[in-house]
Amino acid sequence: MNASTPMDDDNLAKLARTLARRDDLEIGFSPDGPVVRGKLLLLPDTLDPTTQNDTVKGYLDLLVARHCHCDSDALDKTAAGARGIARALDDRRACALLLDAYPGAEALLRSYREHRQELVLGGWQKLSWREQFAWRVERALWNEQATAVEDTPSLGTALHVMEDILREGRASVSTEQSVRLAMRTLERIAALSAGDINNMMFIVDHESASEPEYDASSEESTPAHSSAAPLDDSSPDSQGDAIAPERNASPIERPTRSVPLTTEFDRVTDLTGMGDPTAWRKLRTLARAQTGPLKARLERALKADEQTHWQREQERGELDRPSLVRLATSPGYRTPFRAARARPGRDAAVTLLIDRSGSMAGRKIELARLCATALCDALEQLGFACEVLGYSSIEDADMRAYYERWLSSGHTPPEGFNRFVERLDLQVFKRFDSANLSGLARIACGHENPDGEALTWAAERLLARRARRRILMVLSDGYPATGEGHPALLRSDLRERVREVLARKVELIGIGILDDAVEELYPVCSVVKELQQLPAAAFEVLGQTLLGHREWMLEHI
């Protein structure tokens, strides 16, 4: 049959049976495809056999190769951090075996690879570092050239130190060997983390992404991407700011600030009052149901605290009943009044700053949106000024072009910079000067999270607000990260900015969402270990801060 002849499901099934030399295979289409489930080969349901005939057949060849030559169960049981790499290794091995038997499949597999490249690059910025690295491993195994978008220094460095493993991977003879090689990748990263190889520090987590970290002592260090997962701080090299000098080397000056190449392309979007009214009302109803009782208790506590502060012996004001006896017995007595003191407890401005990184996607960002609604709605009702902000960074084509021009003019990275092609994507969901909270319904995820730069931005806005007290609460699910930033430098940058903000009399609170990174970054913090507790936990720690002590519920309820 001609390779370009369109095929229906029955013909695809017949082709699969012929290639696999089995008469019991079935073909289906699913959002989960391409995947092998026993005798069922599932193609991606986005493929159209009438217009993507060669691509469909290329995916079918891949599935047949997996069915005949891969142990899918063993791959599924592989640790999450290694599974993508193990799959890439085993797919290439299986397809090589298929090509040995059917050389004509090469053109169809090439069509599959072209389609896969289109899908991956179309959503490149949404991929985690782990997924990007697994894709680059695929590229290397198939001898494909990476595009400029994929060719980041951190991925290139990681591939370079894995060259021997990739060579063994091309010669793998079983799924078991592919899995072992993938696990060796993690072990190699662990060795790098310990400083045993090339004096580079790496993040290692056998259940999550792993990537290189910055070493300030290496002149050949290259920018590296960081995931939201925390460093393994048990490593001696990851203590403090995690910027360790080379062993037996003379001390050198360690950078502490993350400096962007340019801020020209950074963008602030004001979404105040621009949310859908219906969505906002539903969100507010849910928020009040969660934190309504907490808001009522905080209000009672505030009133109780305020009512204990009176200026007695005043010539004007409210009649002070205990002074009536003296008024009756002392004809010259002229100060039987009392006046309430100014209420400094409510002369406070509160900013909520939300991490909008890709790792916040799903339930995390939903509850962050609910949390922001609960806090902001309650603060407005209680008479506090409040603002809600969000931050992320995203790769920008104009900034990349600027970076390429910068390189072509003779500069060599890093030269003190730590953000090259990503612009800040800052959003204002509710301004201090607006009572319209509907913009909170538009809180959504972005890409990376440059916490330090965002903290400074939020603090400057807060300091511009006249208030006796200024409180800045940060909701985050991990350490700062940008696509090409050094993780250790991003952390030291955040710590330095925290110290600066505190020195300017801003009270900082960190709320950690399923992550305890805030405990080493912010002076006051709370770690939420169950997502549904987020709104209540954030409300409680803010209430404690507003009242100036941590046991406010026990004392005032």
Side-chain angles (χ1 to χ4, degrees):
M1 182 177 292
N2 191 296
S4 62
T5 303
M7 304 182 73
D8 57 22
D9 291 6
D10 289 340
N11 285 329
L12 286 171
K14 290 177 183 178
L15 177 58
R17 292 166 189 160
T18 300
L19 293 173
R21 299 175 183 174
R22 297 190 56 164
D23 59 4
D24 55 354
L25 293 184
E26 298 294 337
I27 294 296
F29 288 83
S30 168
D32 299 330
V35 65
V36 176
R37 291 180 180 165
K39 299 174 183 178
L40 179 61
L41 310 184
L42 294 175
L43 293 159
D45 63 358
T46 55
L47 294 175
D48 183 355
T50 61
T51 60
Q52 299 174 292
N53 185 51
D54 286 354
T55 302
V56 170
K57 291 178 182 177
Y59 274 95
L60 183 65
D61 287 345
L62 169 70
L63 290 173
V64 169
R66 285 183 180 179
H67 177 80
C68 294
H69 305 294
C70 296
D71 184 346
S72 296
D73 290 339
L75 289 169
D76 290 341
K77 293 176 183 177
T78 304
R83 191 178 304 143
I85 298 171
R87 170 62 72 187
L89 290 165
D90 220 40
D91 275 354
R92 187 65 186 95
R93 179 187 64 82
C95 287
L97 292 173
L98 182 74
L99 287 172
D100 286 342
Y102 302 102
E106 182 177 358
L108 301 177
L109 285 171
R110 190 180 304 117
S111 181
Y112 145 71
R113 292 300 304 167
E114 291 171 355
H115 182 263
R116 176 142 168 76
Q117 172 183 314
E118 181 181 344
L119 291 178
V120 171
L121 297 188
W124 182 254
Q125 296 305 323
K126 296 181 181 180
L127 299 180
S128 66
W129 191 92
R130 179 185 66 195
E131 293 168 326
Q132 291 179 349
F133 179 63
W135 169 249
R136 288 295 306 276
V137 168
E138 280 190 50
R139 289 287 227 187
L141 292 170
W142 288 84
N143 297 318
E144 296 171 352
Q145 187 68 35
T147 64
V149 172
E150 308 161 72
D151 195 19
T152 64
S154 64
L155 293 173
T157 300
L159 281 174
H160 175 71
V161 299
M162 301 301 166
E163 282 183 352
D164 59 326
I165 295 178
L166 289 175
R167 283 196 299 270
E168 291 184 50
R170 294 186 183 97
S172 174
V173 296
S174 68
T175 298
E176 182 182 2
Q177 185 178 0
S178 296
V179 171
R180 284 201 306 268
L181 290 171
M183 296 305 295
R184 275 183 56 195
T185 299
L186 296 187
E187 292 168 4
R188 176 69 53 82
I189 291 171
L192 290 165
S193 177
D196 296 333
I197 300 176
N198 199 31
N199 194 44
M200 291 182 63
M201 294 183 297
F202 272 67
I203 297 169
V204 60
D205 181 350
H206 285 240
E207 295 298 329
S208 60
S210 301
E211 60 258 34
E213 186 172 350
Y214 177 59
D215 181 352
S217 68
S218 174
E219 294 181 355
E220 296 180 359
S221 292
T222 53
H225 181 287
S226 171
S227 71
L231 281 172
D232 179 1
D233 287 330
S234 62
S235 169
D237 286 342
S238 61
Q239 298 300 319
D241 287 347
I243 304 181
E246 183 175 354
R247 290 172 174 78
N248 303 320
S250 59
I252 64 173
E253 183 178 356
R254 301 176 181 180
T256 59
R257 299 303 293 264
S258 174
V259 181
L261 179 64
T262 178
T263 59
E264 176 183 348
F265 305 99
D266 295 350
R267 185 178 303 166
V268 178
T269 306
D270 191 348
L271 300 174
T272 302
M274 298 178 66
D276 177 73
T278 302
W280 157 245
R281 285 192 293 271
K282 290 180 180 178
L283 189 59
R284 182 179 58 187
T285 300
L286 288 173
R288 288 181 176 178
Q290 285 230 6
T291 57
L294 285 174
K295 178 255 179 183
R297 282 181 278 181
L298 175 58
E299 185 169 26
R300 288 199 301 270
L302 286 166
K303 287 182 177 179
D305 189 52
E306 292 162 357
Q307 289 169 359
T308 61
H309 298 83
W310 294 93
Q311 290 180 321
R312 290 185 163 80
E313 300 296 321
Q314 302 295 308
E315 294 185 355
R316 298 182 181 84
E318 178 182 329
L319 187 64
D320 189 9
R321 292 182 181 180
S323 300
L324 291 179
V325 174
R326 189 175 178 184
L327 181 65
T329 57
S330 302
Y333 182 62
R334 302 179 58 85
T335 57
F337 302 99
R338 68 177 184 175
R341 290 183 180 180
R343 303 192 303 180
R346 302 202 190 193
D347 185 14
V350 180
T351 293
L352 182 62
L353 180 63
I354 301 173
D355 172 1
R356 297 175 44 245
S357 61
S359 61
M360 287 282 289
R363 187 65 174 154
K364 287 182 183 179
I365 199 67
E366 289 177 9
L367 283 169
R369 190 184 305 122
L370 184 66
C371 177
T373 301
L375 292 176
C376 200
D377 182 47
L379 288 170
E380 285 284 315
Q381 293 182 63
L382 293 171
F384 292 96
C386 65
E387 183 169 70
V388 180
L389 310 174
Y391 67 97
S392 74
S393 63
I394 182 173
E395 185 168 333
D396 182 80
D398 292 334
M399 189 167 176
R400 176 173 284 279
Y402 178 95
Y403 175 48
E404 291 172 351
R405 291 194 300 272
W406 184 77
L407 287 177
S408 64
S409 66
H411 294 91
T412 303
E415 293 195 0
F417 300 108
N418 201 46
R419 178 162 62 84
F420 300 93
V421 299
E422 291 182 6
R423 64 171 174 82
L424 292 184
D425 183 22
L426 308 171
Q427 295 185 344
V428 180
F429 301 107
K430 190 270 178 192
R431 296 191 311 271
F432 279 120
D433 61 1
S434 174
N436 191 330
L437 311 184
S438 66
L440 302 183
R442 296 190 60 176
I443 296 174
C445 283
H447 296 278
E448 305 292 351
N449 55 303
D451 297 46
E453 292 182 82
L455 183 73
T456 297
W457 168 67
E460 291 295 339
R461 292 180 62 93
L462 180 57
L463 287 163
R465 176 78 184 186
R466 295 188 62 180
R468 180 175 176 270
R469 296 176 65 192
R470 298 178 179 89
I471 300 170
L472 175 53
M473 174 181 280
V474 182
L475 267 63
S476 175
D477 71 337
Y479 290 93
T482 61
E484 294 184 316
H486 297 296
L489 192 54
L490 288 168
R491 291 194 199 185
S492 64
D493 174 75
L494 177 55
R495 291 190 182 97
E496 185 69 22
R497 292 175 188 266
V498 165
R499 285 191 286 269
E500 290 177 355
V501 170
L502 290 172
R504 299 179 73 180
K505 307 303 181 184
V506 173
E507 300 170 62
L508 282 177
I509 304 171
I511 303 295
I513 305 174
L514 302 184
D515 190 282
D516 60 2
V518 294
E519 291 181 344
E520 66 174 82
L521 297 170
Y522 297 96
V524 177
C525 62
S526 177
V527 177
V528 178
K529 297 183 178 179
E530 296 183 17
L531 279 177
Q532 64 269 22
Q533 297 176 353
L534 175 60
F539 202 106
E540 181 174 352
V541 71
L542 178 59
Q544 294 167 358
T545 302
L546 287 170
L547 286 170
H549 50 80
R550 300 186 63 83
E551 299 300 326
W552 64 276
M553 285 189 176
L554 295 177
E555 293 183 20
H556 296 289
I557 297 173

